[in-house]
Structure formats: structure tokens, C-alpha cells
Amino acid sequence: MALSNRQMSDAEREVCEENGIRPVGSLVAHQAVAVRRHQGLDVRCLTTRQLRRLWRADSDVQRYSELGAGLPDRPVRLITPPPPSAAFELFARKITGAKRPLREDARRVADRLDFEGIVRATPGALAFAPFDIGREEQRPPVVAVDAGGGCVSPSAQTVRSGAYEPLSAPLVPPEPAAFPEAEPRS
């Protein structure tokens, strides 16, 4: 059994077929990434276009106000989990569309326990991290995401319904594979 938050590639399907394995997907859970902010940063919602412009590798955005009217004229301070975390990969794939697309000046924090404290302690910080339904009241505030249909914050309901797009994805394992018959032991 394996978990994935994306469809299998044609090459992966070919390998399965060559080995007599027939993968079949079924929904197990959802993965979601929340955009989080320092308490003092007055950013309540960002569009996917603004997120892309802010986080892409060649971004020259230095102040949030450069992203659009109404955003604070404060220096950008980005914080991210390190690659190859699932949150990093999902955010990178869905927002910037590349494997290693994020700005080099983003601070990468490996320790999840330190991560939230660093966001809280860094004025102007904007970060992304796995969305954890069970601990939301203890975490830094979320920034809603507008993918074209209005601002949506992550919640159990918006993730399950698909409304929190594009920063959520179903986790789908292949069903038990059809393994070739085992050779009888003598």
C-alpha cells in the first residue's frame, strides 16, 4: 500500500503493469497546507496569483504592498518547511508549478515545534505548513486563499468539500495489488 496526493504518472502505471500490479485508488484522507501569518501582519486573504508572485524562485517582491492595494507596506519575511516535506511539495506544485520553485531567501525551518514559534516571533512573517485540524486554536492565524471563487480558509469542511483549492489534495492509496501467484515452497 502507498499514499499519494497526486495521480500516478504514465511511467508509474507502466512499471506496475510490467510487474503484474493493478493499482486502484480510493480516498483515505485529505492533505492540506495552510498559509499562516504573524499575528501583527494584517494580511487576511491572498489570491493564488499573489502567492505565486510572492513565492516563486525569481520573485523580486520585497514588500507586501507590491502585491496589491490594501496590503501592508511591510517587508516580506517568508518561512517554509524544508524540502522534501509533503507540505513543501504540495505548496510548490500547486502554487508555483515546479519542484523547487520557492525563493532562496525564504527561511527554511526543519523542526515543526520551532516552526510555529518562529512564525509568532518574526514580525511580518508569512509561512505555509501542514493544516492540522486538531490544534488550530494553538497555531498562528491562517490567511485565506482565493483561487478565483473568493477567499476560503482551511477547515475540515472546506478541505473535504474541495472548496479549499488549490492547497488541498486527497490522499489516495492504491488498493491491494494483484500480485502474481507465489511459487509453492518445497
Side-chain angles (χ1 to χ4, degrees), residues 11-50:
E12 291 166 331
R13 285 191 187 281
E14 287 177 22
V15 169
C16 287
E17 193 173 299
E18 290 168 5
N19 289 288
I21 298 169
R22 186 182 58 91
V24 179
S26 63
L27 178 64
V28 171
H30 286 85
Q31 174 189 15
V33 175
V35 178
R36 301 205 174 268
R37 65 180 175 82
H38 179 271
Q39 183 71 29
L41 181 63
D42 191 21
V43 174
R44 306 291 182 207
C45 180
L46 291 171
T47 66
T48 53
R49 183 178 183 165
Q50 289 170 319

PDB file of all heavy atoms in Angstrom, residues 11-50:
ATOM      1  N   ALA A  11       4.399   6.612 -16.559  1.00  0.00           N
ATOM      2  CA  ALA A  11       5.573   5.764 -16.332  1.00  0.00           C
ATOM      3  C   ALA A  11       5.366   4.861 -15.118  1.00  0.00           C
ATOM      4  O   ALA A  11       5.728   3.676 -15.148  1.00  0.00           O
ATOM      5  CB  ALA A  11       6.821   6.630 -16.141  1.00  0.00           C
ATOM      6  N   GLU A  12       4.765   5.400 -14.051  1.00  0.00           N
ATOM      7  CA  GLU A  12       4.495   4.589 -12.860  1.00  0.00           C
ATOM      8  C   GLU A  12       3.480   3.488 -13.164  1.00  0.00           C
ATOM      9  O   GLU A  12       3.616   2.354 -12.714  1.00  0.00           O
ATOM     10  CB  GLU A  12       3.986   5.475 -11.723  1.00  0.00           C
ATOM     11  CG  GLU A  12       5.057   6.402 -11.176  1.00  0.00           C
ATOM     12  CD  GLU A  12       4.511   7.504 -10.291  1.00  0.00           C
ATOM     13  OE1 GLU A  12       3.340   7.939 -10.487  1.00  0.00           O
ATOM     14  OE2 GLU A  12       5.251   7.944  -9.397  1.00  0.00           O
ATOM     15  N   ARG A  13       2.466   3.819 -13.959  1.00  0.00           N
ATOM     16  CA  ARG A  13       1.470   2.806 -14.341  1.00  0.00           C
ATOM     17  C   ARG A  13       2.113   1.697 -15.173  1.00  0.00           C
ATOM     18  O   ARG A  13       1.794   0.531 -15.012  1.00  0.00           O
ATOM     19  CB  ARG A  13       0.327   3.446 -15.114  1.00  0.00           C
ATOM     20  CG  ARG A  13      -0.607   4.233 -14.242  1.00  0.00           C
ATOM     21  CD  ARG A  13      -1.868   4.627 -15.019  1.00  0.00           C
ATOM     22  NE  ARG A  13      -2.668   5.508 -14.226  1.00  0.00           N
ATOM     23  CZ  ARG A  13      -3.472   5.133 -13.241  1.00  0.00           C
ATOM     24  NH1 ARG A  13      -3.574   3.864 -12.946  1.00  0.00           N
ATOM     25  NH2 ARG A  13      -4.173   6.007 -12.554  1.00  0.00           N
ATOM     26  N   GLU A  14       3.025   2.073 -16.067  1.00  0.00           N
ATOM     27  CA  GLU A  14       3.720   1.080 -16.889  1.00  0.00           C
ATOM     28  C   GLU A  14       4.539   0.131 -16.028  1.00  0.00           C
ATOM     29  O   GLU A  14       4.537  -1.081 -16.266  1.00  0.00           O
ATOM     30  CB  GLU A  14       4.615   1.778 -17.917  1.00  0.00           C
ATOM     31  CG  GLU A  14       3.843   2.415 -19.045  1.00  0.00           C
ATOM     32  CD  GLU A  14       4.745   3.168 -20.011  1.00  0.00           C
ATOM     33  OE1 GLU A  14       5.962   2.873 -20.063  1.00  0.00           O
ATOM     34  OE2 GLU A  14       4.231   4.059 -20.717  1.00  0.00           O
ATOM     35  N   VAL A  15       5.242   0.655 -15.034  1.00  0.00           N
ATOM     36  CA  VAL A  15       6.039  -0.187 -14.133  1.00  0.00           C
ATOM     37  C   VAL A  15       5.131  -1.170 -13.396  1.00  0.00           C
ATOM     38  O   VAL A  15       5.443  -2.354 -13.270  1.00  0.00           O
ATOM     39  CB  VAL A  15       6.859   0.670 -13.139  1.00  0.00           C
ATOM     40  CG1 VAL A  15       7.463  -0.180 -12.041  1.00  0.00           C
ATOM     41  CG2 VAL A  15       7.944   1.437 -13.878  1.00  0.00           C
ATOM     42  N   CYS A  16       4.007  -0.675 -12.923  1.00  0.00           N
ATOM     43  CA  CYS A  16       3.047  -1.557 -12.245  1.00  0.00           C
ATOM     44  C   CYS A  16       2.586  -2.664 -13.186  1.00  0.00           C
ATOM     45  O   CYS A  16       2.569  -3.847 -12.816  1.00  0.00           O
ATOM     46  CB  CYS A  16       1.853  -0.764 -11.730  1.00  0.00           C
ATOM     47  SG  CYS A  16       2.228   0.253 -10.292  1.00  0.00           S
ATOM     48  N   GLU A  17       2.219  -2.274 -14.390  1.00  0.00           N
ATOM     49  CA  GLU A  17       1.722  -3.243 -15.364  1.00  0.00           C
ATOM     50  C   GLU A  17       2.789  -4.290 -15.678  1.00  0.00           C
ATOM     51  O   GLU A  17       2.494  -5.486 -15.740  1.00  0.00           O
ATOM     52  CB  GLU A  17       1.308  -2.496 -16.643  1.00  0.00           C
ATOM     53  CG  GLU A  17       0.496  -3.334 -17.600  1.00  0.00           C
ATOM     54  CD  GLU A  17      -0.025  -2.505 -18.746  1.00  0.00           C
ATOM     55  OE1 GLU A  17      -0.797  -1.554 -18.480  1.00  0.00           O
ATOM     56  OE2 GLU A  17       0.352  -2.808 -19.893  1.00  0.00           O
ATOM     57  N   GLU A  18       4.023  -3.858 -15.866  1.00  0.00           N
ATOM     58  CA  GLU A  18       5.129  -4.777 -16.145  1.00  0.00           C
ATOM     59  C   GLU A  18       5.345  -5.775 -15.016  1.00  0.00           C
ATOM     60  O   GLU A  18       5.831  -6.874 -15.234  1.00  0.00           O
ATOM     61  CB  GLU A  18       6.427  -3.991 -16.383  1.00  0.00           C
ATOM     62  CG  GLU A  18       6.447  -3.220 -17.673  1.00  0.00           C
ATOM     63  CD  GLU A  18       7.617  -2.240 -17.743  1.00  0.00           C
ATOM     64  OE1 GLU A  18       8.469  -2.220 -16.829  1.00  0.00           O
ATOM     65  OE2 GLU A  18       7.666  -1.482 -18.735  1.00  0.00           O
ATOM     66  N   ASN A  19       4.972  -5.394 -13.794  1.00  0.00           N
ATOM     67  CA  ASN A  19       5.180  -6.250 -12.631  1.00  0.00           C
ATOM     68  C   ASN A  19       3.898  -6.944 -12.158  1.00  0.00           C
ATOM     69  O   ASN A  19       3.847  -7.494 -11.064  1.00  0.00           O
ATOM     70  CB  ASN A  19       5.779  -5.435 -11.482  1.00  0.00           C
ATOM     71  CG  ASN A  19       7.217  -5.075 -11.780  1.00  0.00           C
ATOM     72  OD1 ASN A  19       8.092  -5.929 -11.749  1.00  0.00           O
ATOM     73  ND2 ASN A  19       7.459  -3.813 -12.099  1.00  0.00           N
ATOM     74  N   GLY A  20       2.866  -6.902 -12.991  1.00  0.00           N
ATOM     75  CA  GLY A  20       1.629  -7.587 -12.659  1.00  0.00           C
ATOM     76  C   GLY A  20       0.837  -6.952 -11.528  1.00  0.00           C
ATOM     77  O   GLY A  20       0.074  -7.622 -10.844  1.00  0.00           O
ATOM     78  N   ILE A  21       1.023  -5.666 -11.328  1.00  0.00           N
ATOM     79  CA  ILE A  21       0.329  -4.957 -10.249  1.00  0.00           C
ATOM     80  C   ILE A  21      -0.751  -4.073 -10.865  1.00  0.00           C
ATOM     81  O   ILE A  21      -0.498  -3.348 -11.824  1.00  0.00           O
ATOM     82  CB  ILE A  21       1.318  -4.108  -9.433  1.00  0.00           C
ATOM     83  CG1 ILE A  21       2.360  -5.009  -8.784  1.00  0.00           C
ATOM     84  CG2 ILE A  21       0.585  -3.271  -8.396  1.00  0.00           C
ATOM     85  CD1 ILE A  21       3.528  -4.262  -8.171  1.00  0.00           C
ATOM     86  N   ARG A  22      -1.953  -4.136 -10.287  1.00  0.00           N
ATOM     87  CA  ARG A  22      -3.068  -3.339 -10.791  1.00  0.00           C
ATOM     88  C   ARG A  22      -3.487  -2.347  -9.688  1.00  0.00           C
ATOM     89  O   ARG A  22      -4.263  -2.675  -8.812  1.00  0.00           O
ATOM     90  CB  ARG A  22      -4.240  -4.230 -11.149  1.00  0.00           C
ATOM     91  CG  ARG A  22      -5.389  -3.480 -11.804  1.00  0.00           C
ATOM     92  CD  ARG A  22      -6.552  -4.405 -12.111  1.00  0.00           C
ATOM     93  NE  ARG A  22      -7.060  -5.067 -10.925  1.00  0.00           N
ATOM     94  CZ  ARG A  22      -8.037  -4.588 -10.151  1.00  0.00           C
ATOM     95  NH1 ARG A  22      -8.602  -3.451 -10.430  1.00  0.00           N
ATOM     96  NH2 ARG A  22      -8.445  -5.261  -9.098  1.00  0.00           N
ATOM     97  N   PRO A  23      -2.961  -1.111  -9.737  1.00  0.00           N
ATOM     98  CA  PRO A  23      -3.330  -0.142  -8.705  1.00  0.00           C
ATOM     99  C   PRO A  23      -4.743   0.392  -8.920  1.00  0.00           C
ATOM    100  O   PRO A  23      -5.171   0.615 -10.047  1.00  0.00           O
ATOM    101  CB  PRO A  23      -2.301   0.974  -8.878  1.00  0.00           C
ATOM    102  CG  PRO A  23      -1.873   0.871 -10.295  1.00  0.00           C
ATOM    103  CD  PRO A  23      -2.003  -0.570 -10.681  1.00  0.00           C
ATOM    104  N   VAL A  24      -5.443   0.552  -7.824  1.00  0.00           N
ATOM    105  CA  VAL A  24      -6.779   1.135  -7.847  1.00  0.00           C
ATOM    106  C   VAL A  24      -6.857   2.098  -6.685  1.00  0.00           C
ATOM    107  O   VAL A  24      -6.541   1.740  -5.544  1.00  0.00           O
ATOM    108  CB  VAL A  24      -7.872   0.052  -7.706  1.00  0.00           C
ATOM    109  CG1 VAL A  24      -9.253   0.678  -7.696  1.00  0.00           C
ATOM    110  CG2 VAL A  24      -7.738  -0.984  -8.807  1.00  0.00           C
ATOM    111  N   GLY A  25      -7.259   3.323  -6.950  1.00  0.00           N
ATOM    112  CA  GLY A  25      -7.279   4.338  -5.907  1.00  0.00           C
ATOM    113  C   GLY A  25      -8.560   4.369  -5.105  1.00  0.00           C
ATOM    114  O   GLY A  25      -9.621   3.990  -5.588  1.00  0.00           O
ATOM    115  N   SER A  26      -8.439   4.782  -3.866  1.00  0.00           N
ATOM    116  CA  SER A  26      -9.596   5.060  -3.015  1.00  0.00           C
ATOM    117  C   SER A  26      -9.187   6.153  -2.039  1.00  0.00           C
ATOM    118  O   SER A  26      -8.048   6.209  -1.593  1.00  0.00           O
ATOM    119  CB  SER A  26     -10.057   3.816  -2.266  1.00  0.00           C
ATOM    120  OG  SER A  26      -9.040   3.366  -1.399  1.00  0.00           O
ATOM    121  N   LEU A  27     -10.118   7.017  -1.730  1.00  0.00           N
ATOM    122  CA  LEU A  27      -9.823   8.147  -0.859  1.00  0.00           C
ATOM    123  C   LEU A  27      -9.648   7.686   0.579  1.00  0.00           C
ATOM    124  O   LEU A  27     -10.495   6.987   1.122  1.00  0.00           O
ATOM    125  CB  LEU A  27     -10.956   9.170  -0.943  1.00  0.00           C
ATOM    126  CG  LEU A  27     -10.819  10.396  -0.055  1.00  0.00           C
ATOM    127  CD1 LEU A  27      -9.605  11.206  -0.469  1.00  0.00           C
ATOM    128  CD2 LEU A  27     -12.071  11.235  -0.137  1.00  0.00           C
ATOM    129  N   VAL A  28      -8.539   8.086   1.206  1.00  0.00           N
ATOM    130  CA  VAL A  28      -8.263   7.753   2.597  1.00  0.00           C
ATOM    131  C   VAL A  28      -8.407   8.990   3.472  1.00  0.00           C
ATOM    132  O   VAL A  28      -9.002   8.946   4.536  1.00  0.00           O
ATOM    133  CB  VAL A  28      -6.830   7.184   2.743  1.00  0.00           C
ATOM    134  CG1 VAL A  28      -6.446   7.041   4.194  1.00  0.00           C
ATOM    135  CG2 VAL A  28      -6.719   5.873   2.021  1.00  0.00           C
ATOM    136  N   ALA A  29      -7.871  10.088   3.017  1.00  0.00           N
ATOM    137  CA  ALA A  29      -7.885  11.334   3.778  1.00  0.00           C
ATOM    138  C   ALA A  29      -7.541  12.464   2.826  1.00  0.00           C
ATOM    139  O   ALA A  29      -7.356  12.249   1.632  1.00  0.00           O
ATOM    140  CB  ALA A  29      -6.875  11.269   4.917  1.00  0.00           C
ATOM    141  N   HIS A  30      -7.438  13.661   3.362  1.00  0.00           N
ATOM    142  CA  HIS A  30      -7.007  14.817   2.590  1.00  0.00           C
ATOM    143  C   HIS A  30      -5.774  15.413   3.240  1.00  0.00           C
ATOM    144  O   HIS A  30      -5.642  15.400   4.459  1.00  0.00           O
ATOM    145  CB  HIS A  30      -8.102  15.895   2.559  1.00  0.00           C
ATOM    146  CG  HIS A  30      -9.239  15.558   1.680  1.00  0.00           C
ATOM    147  ND1 HIS A  30     -10.302  14.792   2.091  1.00  0.00           N
ATOM    148  CD2 HIS A  30      -9.497  15.877   0.396  1.00  0.00           C
ATOM    149  CE1 HIS A  30     -11.153  14.662   1.109  1.00  0.00           C
ATOM    150  NE2 HIS A  30     -10.691  15.315   0.066  1.00  0.00           N
ATOM    151  N   GLN A  31      -4.911  15.937   2.424  1.00  0.00           N
ATOM    152  CA  GLN A  31      -3.768  16.703   2.892  1.00  0.00           C
ATOM    153  C   GLN A  31      -4.070  18.154   2.571  1.00  0.00           C
ATOM    154  O   GLN A  31      -4.613  18.462   1.508  1.00  0.00           O
ATOM    155  CB  GLN A  31      -2.501  16.268   2.158  1.00  0.00           C
ATOM    156  CG  GLN A  31      -1.309  17.121   2.485  1.00  0.00           C
ATOM    157  CD  GLN A  31      -0.121  16.809   1.591  1.00  0.00           C
ATOM    158  OE1 GLN A  31      -0.248  16.171   0.568  1.00  0.00           O
ATOM    159  NE2 GLN A  31       1.031  17.282   1.987  1.00  0.00           N
ATOM    160  N   ALA A  32      -3.734  19.036   3.494  1.00  0.00           N
ATOM    161  CA  ALA A  32      -3.939  20.458   3.230  1.00  0.00           C
ATOM    162  C   ALA A  32      -2.769  21.251   3.789  1.00  0.00           C
ATOM    163  O   ALA A  32      -2.160  20.866   4.781  1.00  0.00           O
ATOM    164  CB  ALA A  32      -5.246  20.939   3.844  1.00  0.00           C
ATOM    165  N   VAL A  33      -2.488  22.350   3.137  1.00  0.00           N
ATOM    166  CA  VAL A  33      -1.437  23.265   3.562  1.00  0.00           C
ATOM    167  C   VAL A  33      -2.099  24.594   3.895  1.00  0.00           C
ATOM    168  O   VAL A  33      -2.884  25.115   3.106  1.00  0.00           O
ATOM    169  CB  VAL A  33      -0.387  23.458   2.438  1.00  0.00           C
ATOM    170  CG1 VAL A  33       0.635  24.501   2.828  1.00  0.00           C
ATOM    171  CG2 VAL A  33       0.292  22.133   2.121  1.00  0.00           C
ATOM    172  N   ALA A  34      -1.782  25.111   5.063  1.00  0.00           N
ATOM    173  CA  ALA A  34      -2.326  26.400   5.487  1.00  0.00           C
ATOM    174  C   ALA A  34      -1.265  27.479   5.329  1.00  0.00           C
ATOM    175  O   ALA A  34      -0.095  27.260   5.658  1.00  0.00           O
ATOM    176  CB  ALA A  34      -2.773  26.330   6.947  1.00  0.00           C
ATOM    177  N   VAL A  35      -1.679  28.630   4.823  1.00  0.00           N
ATOM    178  CA  VAL A  35      -0.809  29.798   4.800  1.00  0.00           C
ATOM    179  C   VAL A  35      -1.024  30.483   6.149  1.00  0.00           C
ATOM    180  O   VAL A  35      -2.151  30.754   6.544  1.00  0.00           O
ATOM    181  CB  VAL A  35      -1.160  30.745   3.632  1.00  0.00           C
ATOM    182  CG1 VAL A  35      -0.278  31.989   3.656  1.00  0.00           C
ATOM    183  CG2 VAL A  35      -1.031  30.008   2.299  1.00  0.00           C
ATOM    184  N   ARG A  36       0.047  30.727   6.863  1.00  0.00           N
ATOM    185  CA  ARG A  36      -0.033  31.293   8.215  1.00  0.00           C
ATOM    186  C   ARG A  36       0.708  32.624   8.257  1.00  0.00           C
ATOM    187  O   ARG A  36       1.598  32.867   7.464  1.00  0.00           O
ATOM    188  CB  ARG A  36       0.564  30.322   9.220  1.00  0.00           C
ATOM    189  CG  ARG A  36      -0.175  28.993   9.185  1.00  0.00           C
ATOM    190  CD  ARG A  36      -0.076  28.253  10.477  1.00  0.00           C
ATOM    191  NE  ARG A  36      -0.915  27.075  10.449  1.00  0.00           N
ATOM    192  CZ  ARG A  36      -2.167  27.044  10.871  1.00  0.00           C
ATOM    193  NH1 ARG A  36      -2.724  28.116  11.374  1.00  0.00           N
ATOM    194  NH2 ARG A  36      -2.876  25.937  10.812  1.00  0.00           N
ATOM    195  N   ARG A  37       0.324  33.446   9.238  1.00  0.00           N
ATOM    196  CA  ARG A  37       0.916  34.778   9.336  1.00  0.00           C
ATOM    197  C   ARG A  37       1.240  35.112  10.777  1.00  0.00           C
ATOM    198  O   ARG A  37       0.658  34.563  11.705  1.00  0.00           O
ATOM    199  CB  ARG A  37      -0.045  35.816   8.771  1.00  0.00           C
ATOM    200  CG  ARG A  37      -1.323  35.935   9.579  1.00  0.00           C
ATOM    201  CD  ARG A  37      -2.281  36.977   9.003  1.00  0.00           C
ATOM    202  NE  ARG A  37      -3.527  36.980   9.720  1.00  0.00           N
ATOM    203  CZ  ARG A  37      -3.743  37.610  10.877  1.00  0.00           C
ATOM    204  NH1 ARG A  37      -2.781  38.308  11.440  1.00  0.00           N
ATOM    205  NH2 ARG A  37      -4.922  37.553  11.474  1.00  0.00           N
ATOM    206  N   HIS A  38       2.173  36.032  10.933  1.00  0.00           N
ATOM    207  CA  HIS A  38       2.454  36.615  12.241  1.00  0.00           C
ATOM    208  C   HIS A  38       1.207  37.377  12.679  1.00  0.00           C
ATOM    209  O   HIS A  38       0.527  38.001  11.848  1.00  0.00           O
ATOM    210  CB  HIS A  38       3.659  37.553  12.144  1.00  0.00           C
ATOM    211  CG  HIS A  38       4.015  38.208  13.425  1.00  0.00           C
ATOM    212  ND1 HIS A  38       3.470  39.418  13.813  1.00  0.00           N
ATOM    213  CD2 HIS A  38       4.860  37.830  14.416  1.00  0.00           C
ATOM    214  CE1 HIS A  38       3.970  39.753  14.986  1.00  0.00           C
ATOM    215  NE2 HIS A  38       4.815  38.813  15.380  1.00  0.00           N
ATOM    216  N   GLN A  39       0.896  37.327  13.951  1.00  0.00           N
ATOM    217  CA  GLN A  39      -0.302  37.973  14.493  1.00  0.00           C
ATOM    218  C   GLN A  39      -0.409  39.446  14.075  1.00  0.00           C
ATOM    219  O   GLN A  39      -1.490  39.941  13.793  1.00  0.00           O
ATOM    220  CB  GLN A  39      -0.292  37.869  16.024  1.00  0.00           C
ATOM    221  CG  GLN A  39      -1.518  38.438  16.691  1.00  0.00           C
ATOM    222  CD  GLN A  39      -2.760  37.582  16.474  1.00  0.00           C
ATOM    223  OE1 GLN A  39      -2.668  36.373  16.318  1.00  0.00           O
ATOM    224  NE2 GLN A  39      -3.909  38.221  16.431  1.00  0.00           N
ATOM    225  N   GLY A  40       0.707  40.152  13.990  1.00  0.00           N
ATOM    226  CA  GLY A  40       0.693  41.574  13.672  1.00  0.00           C
ATOM    227  C   GLY A  40       0.673  41.897  12.194  1.00  0.00           C
ATOM    228  O   GLY A  40       0.632  43.067  11.816  1.00  0.00           O
ATOM    229  N   LEU A  41       0.710  40.898  11.333  1.00  0.00           N
ATOM    230  CA  LEU A  41       0.686  41.126   9.887  1.00  0.00           C
ATOM    231  C   LEU A  41      -0.765  41.127   9.419  1.00  0.00           C
ATOM    232  O   LEU A  41      -1.447  40.112   9.488  1.00  0.00           O
ATOM    233  CB  LEU A  41       1.478  40.044   9.151  1.00  0.00           C
ATOM    234  CG  LEU A  41       1.554  40.189   7.634  1.00  0.00           C
ATOM    235  CD1 LEU A  41       2.274  41.478   7.235  1.00  0.00           C
ATOM    236  CD2 LEU A  41       2.231  38.981   7.019  1.00  0.00           C
ATOM    237  N   ASP A  42      -1.234  42.257   8.940  1.00  0.00           N
ATOM    238  CA  ASP A  42      -2.630  42.392   8.541  1.00  0.00           C
ATOM    239  C   ASP A  42      -2.829  41.939   7.094  1.00  0.00           C
ATOM    240  O   ASP A  42      -3.071  42.750   6.193  1.00  0.00           O
ATOM    241  CB  ASP A  42      -3.103  43.834   8.735  1.00  0.00           C
ATOM    242  CG  ASP A  42      -4.609  43.968   8.583  1.00  0.00           C
ATOM    243  OD1 ASP A  42      -5.312  42.948   8.727  1.00  0.00           O
ATOM    244  OD2 ASP A  42      -5.079  45.091   8.302  1.00  0.00           O
ATOM    245  N   VAL A  43      -2.709  40.641   6.885  1.00  0.00           N
ATOM    246  CA  VAL A  43      -2.977  40.015   5.594  1.00  0.00           C
ATOM    247  C   VAL A  43      -3.997  38.921   5.872  1.00  0.00           C
ATOM    248  O   VAL A  43      -3.687  37.948   6.540  1.00  0.00           O
ATOM    249  CB  VAL A  43      -1.692  39.417   4.969  1.00  0.00           C
ATOM    250  CG1 VAL A  43      -2.028  38.653   3.697  1.00  0.00           C
ATOM    251  CG2 VAL A  43      -0.669  40.505   4.685  1.00  0.00           C
ATOM    252  N   ARG A  44      -5.207  39.121   5.392  1.00  0.00           N
ATOM    253  CA  ARG A  44      -6.299  38.183   5.691  1.00  0.00           C
ATOM    254  C   ARG A  44      -6.578  37.204   4.558  1.00  0.00           C
ATOM    255  O   ARG A  44      -7.057  36.112   4.791  1.00  0.00           O
ATOM    256  CB  ARG A  44      -7.587  38.949   5.999  1.00  0.00           C
ATOM    257  CG  ARG A  44      -7.454  39.978   7.085  1.00  0.00           C
ATOM    258  CD  ARG A  44      -7.243  39.343   8.423  1.00  0.00           C
ATOM    259  NE  ARG A  44      -7.181  40.394   9.442  1.00  0.00           N
ATOM    260  CZ  ARG A  44      -6.534  40.279  10.561  1.00  0.00           C
ATOM    261  NH1 ARG A  44      -5.881  39.183  10.836  1.00  0.00           N
ATOM    262  NH2 ARG A  44      -6.505  41.256  11.429  1.00  0.00           N
ATOM    263  N   CYS A  45      -6.285  37.621   3.307  1.00  0.00           N
ATOM    264  CA  CYS A  45      -6.553  36.776   2.141  1.00  0.00           C
ATOM    265  C   CYS A  45      -5.569  37.137   1.036  1.00  0.00           C
ATOM    266  O   CYS A  45      -5.262  38.318   0.835  1.00  0.00           O
ATOM    267  CB  CYS A  45      -7.992  36.992   1.657  1.00  0.00           C
ATOM    268  SG  CYS A  45      -8.416  35.974   0.211  1.00  0.00           S
ATOM    269  N   LEU A  46      -5.084  36.125   0.340  1.00  0.00           N
ATOM    270  CA  LEU A  46      -4.235  36.322  -0.837  1.00  0.00           C
ATOM    271  C   LEU A  46      -4.763  35.446  -1.960  1.00  0.00           C
ATOM    272  O   LEU A  46      -5.231  34.332  -1.727  1.00  0.00           O
ATOM    273  CB  LEU A  46      -2.780  35.945  -0.536  1.00  0.00           C
ATOM    274  CG  LEU A  46      -2.024  36.856   0.428  1.00  0.00           C
ATOM    275  CD1 LEU A  46      -0.679  36.246   0.799  1.00  0.00           C
ATOM    276  CD2 LEU A  46      -1.826  38.241  -0.180  1.00  0.00           C
ATOM    277  N   THR A  47      -4.657  35.950  -3.172  1.00  0.00           N
ATOM    278  CA  THR A  47      -5.044  35.147  -4.326  1.00  0.00           C
ATOM    279  C   THR A  47      -3.919  34.172  -4.644  1.00  0.00           C
ATOM    280  O   THR A  47      -2.764  34.380  -4.250  1.00  0.00           O
ATOM    281  CB  THR A  47      -5.312  36.033  -5.560  1.00  0.00           C
ATOM    282  OG1 THR A  47      -4.077  36.646  -5.972  1.00  0.00           O
ATOM    283  CG2 THR A  47      -6.373  37.095  -5.277  1.00  0.00           C
ATOM    284  N   THR A  48      -4.255  33.140  -5.399  1.00  0.00           N
ATOM    285  CA  THR A  48      -3.208  32.208  -5.813  1.00  0.00           C
ATOM    286  C   THR A  48      -2.182  32.920  -6.685  1.00  0.00           C
ATOM    287  O   THR A  48      -0.995  32.611  -6.629  1.00  0.00           O
ATOM    288  CB  THR A  48      -3.799  30.994  -6.554  1.00  0.00           C
ATOM    289  OG1 THR A  48      -4.639  31.448  -7.619  1.00  0.00           O
ATOM    290  CG2 THR A  48      -4.581  30.097  -5.610  1.00  0.00           C
ATOM    291  N   ARG A  49      -2.626  33.897  -7.448  1.00  0.00           N
ATOM    292  CA  ARG A  49      -1.688  34.677  -8.279  1.00  0.00           C
ATOM    293  C   ARG A  49      -0.712  35.458  -7.396  1.00  0.00           C
ATOM    294  O   ARG A  49       0.485  35.517  -7.674  1.00  0.00           O
ATOM    295  CB  ARG A  49      -2.461  35.613  -9.190  1.00  0.00           C
ATOM    296  CG  ARG A  49      -1.583  36.378 -10.121  1.00  0.00           C
ATOM    297  CD  ARG A  49      -2.385  37.250 -11.039  1.00  0.00           C
ATOM    298  NE  ARG A  49      -1.471  37.899 -11.964  1.00  0.00           N
ATOM    299  CZ  ARG A  49      -1.842  38.495 -13.047  1.00  0.00           C
ATOM    300  NH1 ARG A  49      -3.107  38.538 -13.385  1.00  0.00           N
ATOM    301  NH2 ARG A  49      -0.960  39.064 -13.816  1.00  0.00           N
ATOM    302  N   GLN A  50      -1.224  36.079  -6.321  1.00  0.00           N
ATOM    303  CA  GLN A  50      -0.344  36.804  -5.396  1.00  0.00           C
ATOM    304  C   GLN A  50       0.620  35.842  -4.702  1.00  0.00           C
ATOM    305  O   GLN A  50       1.803  36.158  -4.547  1.00  0.00           O
ATOM    306  CB  GLN A  50      -1.172  37.562  -4.350  1.00  0.00           C
ATOM    307  CG  GLN A  50      -1.912  38.753  -4.911  1.00  0.00           C
ATOM    308  CD  GLN A  50      -2.912  39.330  -3.931  1.00  0.00           C
ATOM    309  OE1 GLN A  50      -3.615  38.599  -3.227  1.00  0.00           O
ATOM    310  NE2 GLN A  50      -2.981  40.661  -3.878  1.00  0.00           N
TER     311      GLN A  50
END
